[in-house]
Amino acid sequence: MKMKVLGLLLSSLFLNLTAQNIQNNPGSNHGNKFEQLGTILPTPNVYRTASGAPGDQYWQNRADYDISAYLDEDKRNLKGSETITYHNNSPDNLDYLWLQLDENQQSNVKNADFQYSSTIPSVTTTERLRPTELPAQDNGYGVNIEKVTDASGKPLHFTVNKTMMRIDLPKVLKKGETIVFKIDWNYNIPNRMEKGGRGGYEYFPEDGNDLYTMTQWYPRMCVYSDFHGWQNYQFTGRGEFALNFGNFKVQMNVPADHIVGSTGVCKNYAEVLTPEQLARYHKAENASEPIEIVTLDEARKAEKSKSKQRKTWVFEASDVRDFAWTSSRKFVWDGMKVLIPENNNKVMAMSFYGKEAYGLYRKFSTKAVAHTIKTYSEFTIPYPYPVAQSVEAANGMEYPMICFNYGRTEKDGTYSEAIKNGMIGVVIHEVGHNFFPMIINSDERQWTWMDEGLNTFVEYLTEEKWDNKFPSKRGPAWTIVDYMKLPKDELEPIMTNSENIERFGPNAYSKPATGLNILRETIMGRELFDKAFKTYAQRWAFKHPEPADFFRTMEDASGEDLDWFWRGWFYGTDPVDISIDKVTTATPDFDGTPKSRQITYTVDKPDTPDFDDISKIRNREDKNITFLTDTDKNLQDFYYRYDRSEEKVDTVKKYTISNEPMEKATAKDISKLKNITAYQIDFSNKGGMVMPIILEFTFEDGSKLRDRIGAQIWRHNENKVSKAYYFDKKLKSVQLDPMLETADIDTSNNYWSASGSHETAMSKFQVFKEKEGKNVRGGANGKVNPMQAAEKK
């Protein structure tokens, strides 16, 4: 049915409803939700602009390292010597330097001493039931600084404050100057499976071998920045790292039968590999499928040999903020070539894993590495480094070009779908950290969300492109609902220091990732969001961004005012809970007979349907996306196949109010409008967080229509709003947020059904025909205000 609406005016019914809303909420509509962030954000300056880009005088300091390390497997001790070249590019003169001694967190006398409240447990173990020692006795862990000297060998005065060390300079390091100094140190390597932490060793009693993950293993320079000065907050084990970029040359002396994986490129494979292994490595450099460089058989044999000879592996890395490595005789090692088309970079994707993980890692790890760096390159910047590596080490942690992950099979080589998907997810997440924060180098010690949250968001996009049905736990809006339902005293803003966050995972990972996905899918749209997000990555690659730089860039590159979103989602704790309070219906009045009606309703929550997240549907519709599981025959045997059809939604016409001057409608007009029904839907914001209103209308003939109303509808009243629609079909039901896009915590008030309503008699609205060629005194544009016209009637 095709119709043209000449004009519709609301009767006194609608005017009274509007006036009543205003009267009931005087002044309550200004809760500051749409005000600009203003002084909440730092003032732009020559270092950081109001647009979110680095300023023309932006600077950052640099630290280059030359390190020699000796791994003593018998004593489980690491001995190291390093030469640091520190470049003061700041405009400030420095009279001391700060370094991080993160390994001191493992000491019970040198740690940061950030304690938690404790109580007497109702159940405990004999291991924990020990007399309290006061003061605490040294457990033998933590860094032992042997000496600190200048380039000539002259001692430099230093002071250790828990996990930080200050070096007092004999003379001021002026702006633009460079200093070279040396540090010798050692520490006992902890059993990370017992003591926790990111670095240490894991012991395998079945074969009597260790697997070492060497992380936070050398004294590292703190960041000195324009926005913070020295970032020397203590390391407690949670808030991660603030680090400088630099070049590394590292030599690791290890048992001769160990295989070493590391940040950077090995410079002496010909000396440390067998001729057969070296040949396989060169073959893998041009392979499109992973090739075993060290085979499973070779790894099994090495587990039994336990050589007492030594080998030194040499690695170099440029423009990285950190350096980590792994060493064990247990490793199987495979690799393949990955081409990053955006910069034509040929990357060596590799994996290291023991026999315990062979059944999973051989099939999936290196391919997941390759898929991750390619997908992240599309959404951020082209991957710039020559290698990307995944190491199975029963945990998850990230470093430049190398990361540690979990995922072991049962002893018979079998595994569950949950273990497989968890392993793939953690590989994607940790490899993805190469971009956030290894390249886009945020301050993790202060803002965990800037690396974990942003990375988790792109992880979700990458999982989607791996398999459209991947069971992602973080990213889709509905997955954050249980967290947002918690009492307010268990919630904290995303903009909270890492050490003070309660419920760390949801706050630092899930909520920011979900917020970005809502921005992309529901608020900004993919085109605007993707351009702005990529602009942020490009602007701040190999630099030190702050939250304001991200917020401002997202707005600057998209033309969207998002201060209301940052204010609510990042600075606040209010959840989303939008309610359909009432639906009022009316029909046109052509003869003055009051036949209209107002319908109220009782909530009728429909059965929760099986549904796909909005991202999954749009990805299937995007012809430019090819899912890895659709194209890689080697992976098809390991995935369920899914029916990816979706129900088509019919469309019907909707009608709006005309602001033109009007007169009574003619009989011809009446015949066109006789099937029109008006519906006023009243909403309330029960949760506090404003959000777009997304509606799905279902009509009596079975057809459907969807409408998306921007969050700005709440700008004049943040508590209650109404929206009127005019349809030429009868409404059967209205569903709010049908695809669960907004993280609404209570869907029981998101549904209205005509069958669940009761009626009360109300006035109808009058219909007029617009006048031609005449202007009536009224608004600034010379046109009558329809409300005033109705009042005069």
Side-chain angles (χ1 to χ4, degrees), residues 280 292-303 329-333 353-359 362:
R280 293 183 209 128
E292 287 187 14
I293 300 163
V294 175
T295 68
L296 179 60
D297 287 341
E298 289 172 333
R300 288 183 184 275
K301 291 177 182 178
E303 284 182 335
R329 62 177 57 87
K330 291 179 62 65
F331 282 137
V332 179
W333 171 18
Y353 43 91
K355 62 181 185 298
E356 296 80 6
Y358 186 86
R362 182 68 181 91

Side-chain angles (χ1 to χ4, degrees), residues 144-378:
N144 303 306
I145 300 295
E146 298 174 6
K147 63 178 179 178
V148 180
T149 67
D150 63 16
S152 66
K154 184 178 180 179
L156 294 175
H157 182 267
F158 66 91
T159 300
V160 174
N161 176 20
K162 303 170 186 175
T163 65
M164 293 289 163
M165 179 173 73
R166 189 189 69 238
I167 297 178
D168 298 317
L169 302 178
K171 66 176 183 178
V172 170
L173 181 65
K174 296 181 179 180
K175 58 182 180 180
E177 291 185 343
T178 297
I179 186 173
V180 178
F181 60 98
K182 299 179 179 181
I183 303 176
D184 291 347
W185 80 99
N186 73 80
Y187 68 88
N188 293 323
I189 303 170
N191 183 332
R192 58 181 173 79
M193 306 303 290
E194 295 178 355
K195 293 183 62 63
R198 294 159 175 82
Y201 71 90
E202 177 182 2
Y203 175 65
F204 292 80
E206 290 185 358
D207 53 61
N209 288 291
D210 293 341
L211 189 159
Y212 292 89
T213 55
M214 306 311 298
T215 67
Q216 291 84 252
W217 59 283
Y218 61 99
R220 306 180 296 175
M221 291 299 306
C222 293
V223 168
Y224 184 81
S225 68
D226 63 277
F227 56 86
H228 195 286
W230 284 111
Q231 171 48 292
N232 53 11
Y233 292 167
Q234 295 290 334
F235 178 55
T236 70
R238 173 186 278 188
E240 290 176 355
F241 313 113
L243 298 163
N244 303 276
F245 286 106
N247 297 334
F248 285 77
K249 180 179 180 181
V250 182
Q251 302 178 63
M252 307 88 148
N253 188 289
V254 301
D257 52 0
H258 274 215
I259 296 296
V260 174
S262 172
T263 296
V265 174
C266 184
K267 310 306 287 187
N268 67 333
Y269 276 149
E271 299 173 17
V272 294
L273 299 181
T274 67
E276 294 80 9
Q277 291 167 347
L278 184 62
R280 293 183 209 128
Y281 178 85
H282 290 314
K283 183 178 180 182
E285 285 183 304
N286 296 295
S288 58
E289 293 288 325
I291 290 177
E292 287 187 14
I293 300 163
V294 175
T295 68
L296 179 60
D297 287 341
E298 289 172 333
R300 288 183 184 275
K301 291 177 182 178
E303 284 182 335
K304 301 174 183 178
S305 65
K306 298 185 181 178
S307 173
K308 296 300 181 182
Q309 302 299 312
R310 310 286 300 184
K311 285 184 179 178
T312 298
W313 298 59
V314 181
F315 284 83
E316 293 183 4
S318 300
D319 293 324
V320 293
R321 70 170 219 158
D322 200 1
F323 194 102
W325 53 288
T326 185
S327 183
S328 180
R329 62 177 57 87
K330 291 179 62 65
F331 282 137
V332 179
W333 171 18
D334 70 42
M336 63 181 280
K337 181 189 74 173
V338 183
L339 178 65
I340 306 300
E342 290 84 356
N343 61 353
N344 200 36
N345 184 21
K346 295 180 181 179
V347 182
M348 191 65 171
M350 300 185 290
S351 296
F352 300 80
Y353 43 91
K355 62 181 185 298
E356 296 80 6
Y358 186 86
L360 274 169
Y361 271 66
R362 182 68 181 91
K363 294 173 182 176
F364 299 114
S365 178
T366 297
K367 289 192 175 184
V369 172
H371 173 70
T372 301
I373 60 175
K374 289 175 68 175
T375 305
Y376 273 68
S377 295
E378 296 172 10

Side-chain angles (χ1 to χ4, degrees), residues 415-661:
Y415 52 85
S416 66
E417 281 289 301
I419 290 295
K420 179 196 72 176
N421 289 327
M423 168 258 173
I424 292 171
V426 75
V427 171
I428 291 174
H429 180 90
E430 306 302 349
V431 173
H433 271 304
N434 276 288
F435 297 82
F436 305 99
M438 302 305 156
I439 298 172
I440 296 96
N441 187 17
S442 58
D443 178 357
E444 301 175 275
R445 191 63 54 88
Q446 174 64 37
W447 304 117
T448 298
W449 72 266
M450 288 197 74
D451 75 291
E452 297 295 357
L454 271 61
N455 182 55
T456 300
F457 165 66
V458 188
E459 173 197 351
Y460 171 60
L461 302 180
T462 305
E463 291 170 347
E464 271 289 290
K465 294 191 70 173
W466 174 275
D467 179 8
N468 185 242
K469 292 291 184 178
F470 194 89
S472 300
K473 300 297 191 298
R474 293 165 169 167
W478 60 270
T479 62
I480 198 65
V481 166
D482 287 344
Y483 171 68
M484 299 302 294
K485 284 181 178 179
L486 292 174
K488 284 293 185 70
D489 61 358
E490 296 185 42
L491 300 175
E492 287 172 306
I494 292 173
M495 294 293 292
T496 299
N497 176 271
S498 299
E499 302 300 339
N500 305 327
I501 296 172
E502 195 67 27
R503 298 187 181 271
F504 191 77
N507 180 284
Y509 293 68
S510 306
K511 190 180 178 184
T514 300
L516 296 180
N517 194 45
I518 292 173
L519 279 180
R520 185 175 189 253
E521 300 287 15
T522 302
I523 295 172
M524 299 173 68
R526 291 187 172 191
E527 182 178 0
L528 284 177
F529 179 93
D530 290 352
K531 170 62 177 178
F533 194 75
K534 181 173 285 192
T535 299
Y536 167 73
Q538 292 170 339
R539 283 178 171 179
W540 291 98
F542 299 100
K543 296 182 176 67
H544 299 293
E546 280 284 279
D549 303 317
F550 177 70
F551 298 152
R552 285 166 168 158
T553 295
M554 291 300 292
E555 297 189 19
D556 180 67
S558 68
E560 288 286 325
D561 180 2
L562 299 172
D563 278 20
W564 65 271
F565 185 80
W566 311 131
R567 181 185 292 277
W569 196 262
F570 282 76
Y571 286 89
T573 60
D574 284 345
V576 178
D577 182 10
I578 301 173
S579 169
I580 297 178
D581 292 336
K582 184 171 65 176
V583 176
T584 302
T585 69
T587 54
D589 182 6
F590 299 106
D591 58 9
T593 303
K595 296 180 181 179
S596 66
R597 59 183 179 169
Q598 179 187 22
I599 295 181
T600 57
Y601 69 97
T602 56
V603 171
D604 180 13
K605 182 181 178 182
D607 293 336
T608 302
D610 292 330
F611 73 98
D612 279 338
D613 182 76
I614 189 68
S615 299
K616 297 183 183 296
I617 293 175
R618 288 175 177 166
N619 284 343
R620 290 201 297 272
E621 294 171 347
D622 189 340
K623 303 304 181 184
N624 295 319
I625 293 179
T626 301
F627 302 104
L628 188 61
T629 51
D630 288 343
T631 59
D632 192 331
K633 295 181 180 179
N634 292 319
L635 293 179
Q636 288 180 358
D637 293 337
F638 304 102
Y639 284 85
Y640 296 114
R641 307 308 301 156
Y642 301 92
D643 176 14
R644 292 173 177 171
S645 63
E646 63 175 330
E647 178 185 357
K648 294 184 178 179
V649 178
D650 296 330
T651 58
V652 297
K653 296 176 289 296
K654 64 177 182 177
Y655 302 91
T656 57
I657 299 174
S658 169
N659 287 328
E660 295 296 325

Side-chain angles (χ1 to χ4, degrees), residues 696-739:
E696 180 178 81
F697 302 98
T698 300
F699 298 88
E700 290 181 352
D701 64 1
S703 60
K704 295 177 183 291
L705 173 69
R706 288 182 184 169
D707 189 31
R708 307 173 76 88
I709 307 168
Q712 287 73 18
I713 192 173
W714 302 96
R715 67 194 183 281
H716 293 298
N717 191 325
E718 296 158 357
N719 302 308
K720 293 182 179 294
V721 296
S722 299
K723 181 67 177 178
Y725 292 91
Y726 305 87
F727 297 120
D728 58 358
K729 296 182 180 183
K730 297 295 184 182
L731 262 182
K732 180 181 179 181
S733 65
V734 180
Q735 177 71 55
L736 175 66
D737 194 13
M739 297 301 297

Side-chain angles (χ1 to χ4, degrees), residues 64-116:
D64 299 321
Y65 299 83
D66 190 335
I67 309 176
S68 296
Y70 185 95
L71 175 61
D72 188 329
E73 188 175 34
D74 294 331
K75 296 181 180 179
R76 289 172 173 153
N77 177 271
L78 182 83
K79 184 176 179 62
S81 177
E82 67 181 353
T83 299
I84 301 176
T85 304
Y86 186 69
H87 309 265
N88 181 19
N89 299 321
S90 79
D92 306 324
N93 297 330
L94 305 176
D95 53 4
Y96 49 78
L97 307 176
W98 280 101
L99 289 87
Q100 306 179 53
L101 304 180
D102 304 277
E103 195 61 31
N104 278 357
Q105 179 56 22
Q106 296 286 6
S107 168
N108 59 349
V109 294
K110 303 175 185 176
N111 64 59
D113 197 30
F114 280 30
Q115 298 188 27
Y116 290 87

